[in-house]
Amino acid sequence: MGILDGKRILVAGVTMDTSIGFAAAKVAQEQGATVLISNFGRALNITKRIAKRLPVTPPVLELDVTDADHLAALPDAVREHVDGLDGVVHSIAFGNPETLLGGKFLTGPWDDVAQAVHISAYSLKSLAIACRPLLSAGSSLVGLTFDATVAWPAYDWMGVAKAGLESTARYLARDLGPEGIRVNLVSAGPLKTLAAKAIPGFEELDSMWAGRAPLGWDNTDQIPTAKAICALLSDFFPATTGEIVHVDGGYHAMGA
């Protein structure tokens, strides 16, 4: 038996098999869940191919979390495969690396900043509201952040977007809690994902972990993060919401 036996989970934002979303879908299936995944645009065909690498090939839905029509159609699209959802994973973020990252904080233009905040933070609320008709008491929404309590090298406006995501999660926890829906985030250390490769100066950020994380850190291993996500999707955290769970080898707790 797995901790997600009988659960129906949507993992929104799966592109490559190196992504945290893919790892979360894999662990969720191994723990007994029925999983659906999503992507949109040109990446959708990539996702459909990558989906075949999961233990069970899941349905792949088209979902752009910034498109009102896609969000409105999501409940019916999900119901073509399952009659409801017990959990949702928000594995979605974007900031233009040419204008917002790698030391461009002071020059980042508003239009690109607005896009980053929309996709990376506001979309958590959009996805939650779109899925709300499918969720019931005991359901869980889990998003992914990168500790936004401090300023990081190279991360710049994505750090601001993640701060917005973290605040959004707390307000969602407040407003969806009376319906029995939990909202939490997982803050992972730096991982070599497709998104990380787009960050100019990622190597500098990544190099800080090796000597400081007391448990050590493998930047190619998404499974610890995926397991934390699945734990929060399960019934083992029934009274936890508005929380940020760090999966970073303990780096966040060290002063030097």
Side-chain angles (χ1 to χ4, degrees):
M1 288 188 55
I3 62 171
L4 295 178
D5 275 351
K7 300 288 188 185
R8 302 152 299 175
I9 306 295
L10 169 64
V11 182
V14 176
T15 303
M16 304 301 295
D17 56 359
T18 56
S19 71
I20 297 172
F22 181 93
K26 179 176 183 292
V27 174
Q29 286 187 341
E30 291 170 348
Q31 291 298 317
T34 298
V35 172
L36 295 77
I37 64 176
S38 75
N39 212 325
F40 75 100
R42 290 180 295 177
L44 186 62
N45 287 331
I46 298 173
T47 300
K48 288 178 178 178
R49 293 196 297 270
I50 293 298
K52 297 175 183 178
R53 300 181 186 179
L54 288 165
V56 178
T57 302
V60 180
L61 308 182
E62 183 173 16
L63 176 63
D64 176 352
V65 290
T66 68
D67 187 313
D69 291 336
H70 281 209
L71 292 164
L74 181 60
D76 287 340
V78 169
R79 289 190 184 105
E80 291 181 10
H81 306 282
V82 291
D83 58 0
L85 291 173
D86 303 289
V88 180
V89 179
H90 178 280
S91 181
I92 300 166
F94 176 77
N96 187 340
E98 295 182 2
T99 60
L100 300 182
L101 305 173
K104 301 181 178 72
F105 182 80
L106 296 179
T107 58
W110 168 244
D111 286 348
D112 287 355
V113 171
Q115 180 191 47
V117 172
H118 189 179
I119 295 173
S120 308
Y122 185 82
S123 68
L124 180 67
K125 190 279 297 186
S126 300
L127 182 62
I129 297 307
C131 292
R132 195 178 183 185
L134 301 164
L135 301 170
S136 57
S139 298
S140 176
L141 176 63
V142 182
L144 292 164
T145 190
F146 187 77
D147 189 354
T149 61
V150 296
W152 296 103
Y155 209 47
D156 297 331
W157 282 104
M158 274 306 300
V160 176
K162 289 297 188 182
L165 174 74
E166 293 177 9
S167 186
T168 298
R170 288 189 286 269
Y171 280 99
L172 280 172
R174 180 195 70 181
D175 289 352
L176 297 180
E179 300 173 26
I181 299 171
R182 294 172 285 124
V183 183
N184 295 288
L185 299 178
V186 171
S187 180
L191 291 164
K192 287 192 174 180
T193 62
L194 183 65
K197 290 178 181 178
I199 301 174
F202 174 79
E203 294 78 10
E204 179 185 359
L205 189 64
D206 184 35
S207 66
M208 300 163 64
W209 249 256
R212 184 170 161 185
L215 290 178
W217 184 249
D218 182 350
N219 62 16
T220 66
D221 187 4
Q222 291 82 15
I223 295 301
T225 305
K227 286 182 175 180
I229 292 168
C230 289
L232 288 168
L233 290 170
S234 78
D235 295 330
F236 281 84
F237 284 87
T240 298
T241 196
E243 186 60 87
I244 299 175
V245 176
H246 289 81
V247 182
D248 64 352
Y251 182 101
H252 74 283
M254 300 297 106

